[in-house]
Amino acid sequence: MILSKILTRFLVVLSFFILLLSPLSLYAAGQNETTDFLSDDFYEDTADVAPETGDPLEPFNRAVFQLNDHAYTYIFNPVAKGYSAVVPFDIRHIIDNFFTNLEEPVVFINCLLQGRFSDAGSTIVRFLANSTIGVGGLVDFANREIGLEPVEATLGETLGVWGIGDGFYLVVPFFGPSTLRDFTGTVIDSLAMTPYYTCIDKWSVKTGIYAEKTTNDLSMHIGEYEDLKKLSFDPYIALRNSYFQYRKKIREHRVFPENE
Amino acid sequence: MKNNLLIQLTLVCFFLVTPLVSHGAQRPDPTEQMKPFVHKVMEILKNADFKEDPKCIICKRLIDVSRERFDFNEMSKRVLGRTWRKLNKEERADFVDLFTRLLQYAYIGKLEQYTGQKVIFRGERIRGKRAEVKTELNDGQQSVAVSYIMLLEDDQWMIYDVIIEGVSLVRNYREQFKEILRKEKYSGLVRQIEKKVKQLEEERKKRFSQKIK
């Protein structure tokens, strides 16, 4: 029931945004998303001539980056640190499982849209198993007992698979690095999740849930941003480059090739 | 004309066959070469007491040990890109020295947080003289994927890049250096790295003087 609600809402919103985004497909479509560290091209200047994705909004992005940096340093990080001191790792892990499980239907739809049918299959098995035997998603039973690892699939990636370009690099206030296409995808993905929350009509509760999820996520990664900042010469570029490299990695979905 | 074509064909065949022949020869295994090195570093870390070591004698030992598996020369070359070709021998040596010092401070800071994580080898792939050894750093709760990119030099596999969760260290520094090189030329880059090393050095000293008080 809730699954079909999510599906309908997802498709309605999606078709609307496709109309909006389609002119973008003319811009930087069909990028090669594979990385080969063993190739010298990876370190060549030619690879730099056309960087991952343009950053025409750099001055704006840098300003938002500063804003996020302050928000992180003075609000989010202290909160996450306090939170991780009070809430033990096991509990944070359970909360993480719970939110991951809620997102599974959206991942499933995106897998289908990308033609990744075996990933779609394992996602739906994960969702069903974890929601029942895994006590409503609190335990990642499917990963632990059946060996089905969580699958990554977002609408940003789906749109990419369909040949829609990134548009441009975008730093979103209180959210972080993204691109026009990927952030649009994020917004739709989270709109598709709203059936869960229709029973909650108070804004304060919805915000509370989001804050909890964000704090919990962050508490698993304390210190990573500080390291990046401390060791880099231009944290803005370091983060932009890390974002694109990391994104490539999680979207390759490849099994590590043995000897060639 | 015909003769020419024949010579060319022979040459092509020769080039095609050569790599096959060298493939057949006994070649050292990158993972097998990594294992004793990782073991050595772990041993140093296990016995290390960073709190009692304000001058960081262990850091120097770690860097000396790393030299047997890391090729800092190759790393510097890739991090500078086109600029490397314009440098003379002395400048190159100086840069390698400086960049190694940066890595020393950058990564020893990380190693101080070592609390008995395990390194699990997750496979390798080899293409010609290049290899990737995939490992997983696991502390029982979370795991981090770390890949080492290596080059075969004589009979030794030497690391020239480290990929943490898909992010290449060399590529990341390279993107930042590119901007600095464009704006401030090579001398500006050297100045900035020197400044960074000094800053990291002083932070370390300050941490220890606070502890003593």
Side-chain angles (χ1 to χ4, degrees):
Chain A
M1 191 51 203
I2 207 153
L3 202 66
S4 71
K5 258 188 178 173
I6 290 176
L7 185 77
T8 340
R9 190 177 282 249
F10 184 87
L11 290 178
V12 169
V13 188
L14 173 67
S15 46
F16 173 70
F17 274 89
I18 293 289
L19 289 175
L20 276 180
L21 269 175
S22 49
L24 277 177
S25 57
L26 297 172
Y27 184 88
Q31 279 174 352
N32 186 10
E33 292 245 355
T34 56
T35 315
D36 191 356
F37 298 114
L38 297 190
S39 158
D40 266 340
D41 291 346
F42 182 67
Y43 302 96
E44 268 306 311
D45 281 327
T46 44
D48 297 339
V49 176
E52 297 86 357
T53 289
D55 189 3
L57 296 186
E58 190 171 329
F60 167 79
N61 281 340
R62 277 191 188 266
V64 179
F65 176 82
Q66 284 300 324
L67 169 79
N68 287 352
D69 182 71
H70 282 100
Y72 175 85
T73 313
Y74 298 111
I75 306 168
F76 299 140
N77 195 42
V79 170
K81 266 190 174 162
Y83 176 83
S84 79
V86 178
V87 185
F89 181 83
D90 289 339
I91 303 288
R92 283 184 280 139
H93 195 61
I94 286 173
I95 295 173
D96 190 47
N97 283 343
F98 177 72
F99 282 116
T100 307
N101 189 57
L102 285 187
E103 286 161 9
E104 238 42 297
V106 173
V107 174
F108 168 71
I109 298 166
N110 278 311
C111 283
L112 284 185
L113 294 176
Q114 291 170 28
R116 287 158 56 197
F117 298 113
S118 80
D119 280 348
S122 77
T123 304
I124 203 71
V125 172
R126 277 178 56 81
F127 181 65
L128 295 175
N130 287 342
S131 302
T132 51
I133 313 169
V135 208
L138 298 183
V139 181
D140 193 349
F141 169 83
N143 191 5
R144 215 191 280 174
E145 302 300 327
I146 325 177
L148 285 177
E149 287 183 20
V151 170
E152 294 262 1
T154 60
L155 185 59
E157 188 185 1
T158 304
L159 296 173
V161 169
W162 291 356
I164 294 174
D166 264 312
F168 44 79
Y169 181 61
L170 187 67
V171 184
V172 182
F174 306 114
F175 179 81
S178 193
T179 65
L180 180 61
R181 179 194 71 201
D182 276 19
F183 188 64
T184 309
T186 306
V187 170
I188 301 174
D189 277 342
S190 51
L191 282 179
M193 302 269 298
T194 47
Y196 288 126
Y197 306 125
T198 40
C199 44
I200 309 161
D201 41 12
K202 267 193 186 158
W203 254 104
S204 54
V205 179
K206 283 181 195 169
T207 317
I209 293 173
Y210 179 73
E212 161 61 22
K213 181 183 169 352
T214 314
T215 309
N216 200 65
D217 279 353
L218 197 60
S219 76
M220 311 288 237
H221 300 278
I222 283 174
E224 286 175 18
Y225 178 67
E226 283 88 339
D227 277 347
L228 177 122
K229 230 170 88 172
K230 197 174 98 186
L231 302 178
S232 62
F233 293 83
D234 185 343
Y236 174 79
I237 293 182
L239 187 66
R240 186 178 70 191
N241 179 259
S242 301
Y243 166 74
F244 282 112
Q245 284 203 48
Y246 178 69
R247 197 184 70 166
K248 261 184 194 167
K249 183 214 165 210
I250 58 171
R251 291 192 182 170
E252 273 175 14
H253 313 292
R254 56 162 191 176
V255 186
F256 187 73
E258 287 298 316
N259 284 350
E260 292 166 17
Chain B
M1 201 54 198
K2 228 180 189 178
N3 217 354
N4 219 339
L5 191 75
L6 205 73
I7 290 169
Q8 274 183 10
L9 266 176
T10 329
L11 274 177
V12 168
C13 285
F14 179 74
F15 283 125
L16 278 177
V17 167
T18 323
L20 291 179
V21 171
S22 61
H23 257 268
Q26 195 61 42
R27 203 168 39 173
D29 184 69
T31 305
E32 287 314 309
Q33 290 196 347
M34 270 295 282
K35 277 181 182 164
F37 170 70
V38 169
H39 184 74
K40 216 174 190 175
V41 173
M42 296 283 221
E43 279 304 304
I44 296 177
L45 286 175
K46 260 182 219 158
N47 302 321
D49 190 355
F50 283 104
K51 284 176 199 130
E52 301 290 317
D53 188 20
K55 281 185 183 156
C56 210
I57 296 157
I58 296 156
C59 309
K60 282 181 202 105
R61 261 183 74 199
L62 282 170
I63 276 291
D64 286 340
V65 171
S66 324
R67 278 182 211 284
E68 64 181 67
R69 215 24 89 203
F70 276 86
D71 186 342
F72 293 115
N73 195 62
E74 190 69 25
M75 222 179 220
S76 308
K77 184 173 136 193
R78 279 160 201 274
V79 97
L80 277 187
R82 205 179 289 158
T83 309
W84 176 263
R85 278 169 242 160
K86 292 180 201 151
L87 301 182
N88 62 37
K89 231 180 186 175
E90 267 169 45
E91 285 172 320
R92 283 180 182 182
D94 285 347
F95 184 82
V96 173
D97 226 47
L98 185 61
F99 189 62
T100 310
R101 258 171 53 215
L102 174 71
L103 292 178
Q104 175 180 339
Y105 277 101
Y107 285 87
I108 277 145
K110 288 234 173 221
L111 290 173
E112 276 179 304
Q113 296 156 14
Y114 178 80
T115 47
Q117 285 91 339
K118 282 195 187 99
V119 174
I120 306 159
F121 287 87
R122 287 272 180 236
E124 65 181 28
R125 67 193 177 109
I126 304 171
R127 188 196 297 145
K129 280 177 171 284
R130 307 281 159 76
E132 176 177 1
V133 173
K134 202 181 176 190
T135 71
E136 181 190 322
L137 198 63
N138 196 310
D139 67 352
Q141 294 186 326
Q142 281 162 305
S143 77
V144 183
V146 182
S147 264
Y148 298 91
I149 309 301
M150 307 168 100
L151 180 69
L152 185 62
E153 295 169 19
D154 299 325
D155 60 344
Q156 293 296 316
W157 286 102
M158 302 295 282
I159 302 165
Y160 65 85
D161 196 2
V162 182
I163 319 284
I164 301 168
E165 286 292 337
V167 180
S168 148
L169 168 90
V170 168
R171 189 63 202 262
N172 199 273
Y173 271 123
R174 192 195 159 102
E175 291 293 322
Q176 299 174 53
F177 288 178
K178 208 178 69 188
E179 276 303 289
I180 300 171
L181 284 167
R182 201 169 54 86
K183 285 183 199 145
E184 305 173 35
K185 300 286 172 279
Y186 178 68
S187 59
L189 176 67
V190 170
R191 234 178 296 128
Q192 285 222 27
I193 302 179
E194 276 168 352
K195 209 175 97 193
K196 193 86 200 174
V197 170
K198 208 171 226 171
Q199 181 197 332
L200 290 168
E201 222 166 345
E202 259 153 31
E203 263 169 36
R204 193 188 159 77
K205 269 189 206 148
K206 220 162 88 189
R207 251 190 7 250
F208 275 102
S209 62
Q210 275 167 354
K211 264 179 197 159
I212 289 160
K213 279 171 201 166

